[in-house]
Structure formats: C-alpha cells, structure tokens
Amino acid sequence: MTGGQFVSHCTADAISAAAKALKAGALVAFPTETVYGLGADANNGFAISRIYKVKGRPNDHPLIVHVASLDRIHPWIADIPEYAIALARSFWPGPMTLILKRSDLAKDFVTGGQETVGLRVPSHPIALALLQAAHDLDIAGIAAPSANRFGHVSPTNSQSVRDELENFLDAIDVILDGGQSDVGVESTIIDCTGDLPRVLRPGAITKEMIKNSTGQAVSNEVSEIRVSGSLEQHYAPAAKVLLDADPQPGDGLIALSEFETPNGVVRLGQPSNNEEFARILYQALRSGDYQKLTRIVVIQPKGEDIAIAIRDRLLRASRGR
Ligand code: TXA
Ligand code: MG
C-alpha cells in the first residue's frame, strides 16, 4: 500500500488543492527551509491525532504551529515579551521557533497539555504559499513536526518523505515537492516564557545572533520543558554513528572536504564548510542506510556557528535508535 498524492510541480492550483485537503482533515507534507514538515490544520484534533499515528510519536509531545507572518501569531498566544518581538522581526520568516504562553486557541492536542505553544514563520516559498492559502480557508495555523518516523533522521527532500511515510499515509494525504531544504537541520527553538531568551534546541539562528538581535543575554538555565528532539536518542539512521573515529574499510564517512577518504571507506559526504555540512548531513546519513552500511563515521565540524546544531544532532544520532 502506498498513500499520499505526490505533487512534483507546486503550481498555485496544486497549493490551493493542498490547502483544501488540509481543511478537509488530510495531512500535507511540505518543504520548509529547515526540513520537511508533516502538516495538519492546527485546530483539527482528529487530523492532529493522525500525525502522531503516522509518525509513531508519543501523544504528549507538542507540535510547532506554522503561520504565514508575525501578525498571525497573536490569536495563538496570551502575551509576548519585547525580546521575542525583536527576535521575530530579525529572523522571521526563517529557521526559528518561539515558545510563548498559549491562548485558548492552542489546544492540548497541539501543546501536549503544556501552557505554551511553539510558533514559526518558515521562509520556504511553498510553505508560505501553503500557509497563505490555508489562511484564506480560515485555517489559523498548520501544526507540523518533521515528516519522519519518530526518532529517525528528518527528511530534507520529498523523496525522503516518501521513503519515511508513504506506507503510513492515506489516499487523501498530500506530499508537496520543493527541492532540497536549504538549511538542513531543524529550527532553533527559543523559550520566550522567562525574563531572558533560552535556547532549547540549537539551529541556524545562534546564541550570538539572538544576543545581537535582543541586546540581552541568553539564559544558560537547563530547560525543564519537554522537547522530543532533546531526547537522548533521536535523529538516528539505522547504521551505527561513530563520532571522530578512525574509519575502517566498509565504513561510511562524512567529513569536511579537507579530510581525505581512506582506502575502502565509502565517502557519504564531503561538504566544504559548516553551512553545507548542515545542508547535506541528513541525506548523507540516509544514503549510508540505503547502501546498507553498518557503521558511519562522522568527523564533527568545529566552531560556534551552525556547527553547534550539527554536533547536537550528531551526539543524539550516535546514541542510536
Ligand atoms: O525546523 C523545524 O522546526 C521543523 C519544521 C517542519 O518546521 N519542525 C520540527 O518539528 O522539527 P518537530 O516536531 O520534529 O520538533 C519540534 C520540537 C519538538 O521537539 C517539540 O517537543 C518542540 O519542538 N516543541 C513544540 N512545541 C513546544 C512547546 N510548546 N514547548 C516546548 N517544546 C515544544
Ligand atoms: Mg522531529
């Protein structure tokens, strides 16, 4: 059985059909600049319950609500601190999720029963067009986790979405193709419920950028908020991921291009900088699985830029599924 209508050319008509499918309670997988999302009308409890089923994800994990612009977050929230407005103005549309105090619109089935809601304005043109078309049908937001099975690597192209989910989607569901995600790792999640912004999940928007935007320090407190991406084991391929090890013949290898490939080692990725490392990482891990490798060695990139997010995901991937 294969489910989900695959749309390879996202014309305006195709996007409006996808929005109508959302309105009718279907799931729509769509591209964003970070990773692909599996979307549902954020106010449709039945559609949301299907997201959890399709992903095989525990029910109490909160979802990010996506909207088309900053002014559309207001129905979802009770209030917003000044520094969060500064962040939204600096980095939306873009790879950043803000955690804010929820309003009554944000139901338990989206927030996992927490008093907060995660909100993001993605920058991918197809995501924005879908959000706008959905808004025109009175859909206040699209709830969307990454479009992978629970614990797996997030998809960064539509083929990976099909590989992950096709067997779990229904005929009414839709998969939109929008090419390769540009950033390649999930959004930076920032808790905005305290006096200072606090990073719950590192991403392309770094602490330095947050400091510069808000003029405020970034809290180093450890979070008590549940973030499933913070589970110790997550973002993992089937192969065993070894960090900074000596690759043996038959192993896969992902490392910056300055590292040479030893004899007999299968090179899965050789990005020339940290941004490219993030962009190719998940697909490179997947290609190790497609080639049925049992071990993938990754030489971690150094630095305080997006390399922080890469090392965060790699650490979790190295702990296995
Ligand atoms: O880049 C991204 O953020 C992608 C694209 C599709 O937008 N989405 C994504 O969703 O990565 P997901 O569900 O795979 O990861 C979102 C994380 C989860 O770990 C969830 O626990 C956390 O965000 N989250 C969502 N709402 C939250 C809330 N109210 N409080 C704390 N964490 C929250
Ligand atoms: Mg995810």
Side-chain angles (χ1 to χ4, degrees):
M1 190 206 75
T2 51
Q5 306 154 50
F6 182 69
V7 180
S8 58
H9 294 287
C10 285
T11 59
D13 282 351
I15 285 173
S16 106
K20 281 186 193 133
L22 283 173
K23 189 71 185 173
L27 305 185
V28 175
F30 62 97
T32 88
E33 73 282 17
T34 57
V35 300
Y36 275 64
L38 178 64
D41 175 350
N43 286 122
N44 184 329
F46 179 72
I48 299 289
S49 72
R50 283 198 55 231
I51 288 185
Y52 289 97
K53 243 193 245 153
V54 166
K55 278 189 64 95
R57 177 180 184 165
N59 277 322
D60 58 348
H61 284 201
L63 301 176
I64 296 171
V65 176
H66 300 71
V67 294
S69 58
L70 170 55
D71 51 297
R72 298 215 175 126
I73 70 172
H74 295 293
W76 292 100
I77 61 175
D79 71 272
I80 180 167
E82 280 298 321
Y83 70 77
I85 296 174
L87 288 170
R89 293 217 172 104
S90 302
F91 303 120
W92 276 347
M96 176 184 76
T97 297
L98 300 182
I99 306 297
L100 294 159
K101 293 200 180 99
R102 71 167 168 180
S103 71
D104 293 341
L105 187 63
K107 297 288 187 295
D108 284 349
F109 55 72
V110 166
T111 69
Q114 305 187 70
E115 290 308 315
T116 56
V117 59
L119 288 152
R120 177 158 110 82
V121 180
S123 66
H124 194 293
I126 293 174
L128 284 173
L130 179 67
L131 287 164
Q132 184 56 47
H135 180 82
D136 293 343
L137 299 176
D138 285 328
I139 293 174
I142 299 179
S146 52
N148 52 280
R149 297 278 291 166
F150 184 64
H152 290 194
V153 173
S154 298
T156 51
N157 55 56
S158 60
Q159 184 57 50
S160 302
V161 176
R162 297 173 82 174
D163 294 344
E164 284 279 333
L165 300 183
E166 220 161 30
N167 291 338
F168 303 93
L169 293 174
D170 285 344
I172 53 162
D173 302 326
V174 180
I175 300 174
L176 299 177
D177 173 44
Q180 191 70 31
S181 294
D182 197 41
V183 176
V185 294
E186 302 81 356
S187 61
T188 304
I189 301 182
I190 307 170
D191 173 14
C192 299
T193 61
D195 291 339
L196 295 175
R198 184 166 53 143
V199 175
L200 301 183
R201 179 175 72 183
I205 305 302
T206 62
K207 277 192 181 176
E208 197 59 32
M209 293 161 78
I210 297 170
K211 268 185 224 155
N212 290 339
S213 159
T214 61
Q216 264 174 311
V218 179
S219 169
N220 284 317
E221 259 175 76
V222 177
S223 149
E224 281 160 31
I225 299 182
R226 276 197 313 274
V227 183
S228 68
S230 303
L231 293 177
E232 293 210 335
Q233 307 174 348
H234 219 78
Y235 310 109
K240 186 162 181 39
V241 173
L242 304 172
L243 302 181
D244 303 324
D246 244 346
Q248 304 301 311
D251 286 349
L253 174 64
I254 303 170
L256 284 167
S257 50
E258 68 210 46
F259 288 88
E260 283 177 12
T261 311
N263 274 341
V265 167
V266 184
R267 192 63 176 253
L268 300 172
Q270 39 194 343
S272 50
N273 55 50
N274 291 352
E275 276 69 40
E276 191 186 348
F277 205 124
R279 193 175 306 129
I280 62 118
L281 175 62
Y282 288 161
Q283 192 55 36
L285 290 170
R286 270 174 202 284
S287 70
D289 281 352
Y290 294 144
Q291 295 177 60
K292 303 248 180 333
L293 304 184
T294 52
R295 310 197 324 163
I296 301 173
V297 172
V298 188
I299 310 297
Q300 301 187 86
K302 298 190 168 60
E304 300 302 303
D305 53 5
I306 199 165
I308 293 177
I310 296 172
R311 294 193 298 265
D312 170 77
R313 307 307 192 276
L314 283 173
L315 182 62
R316 298 173 208 288
S318 71
R319 291 172 176 150
R321 273 191 186 164

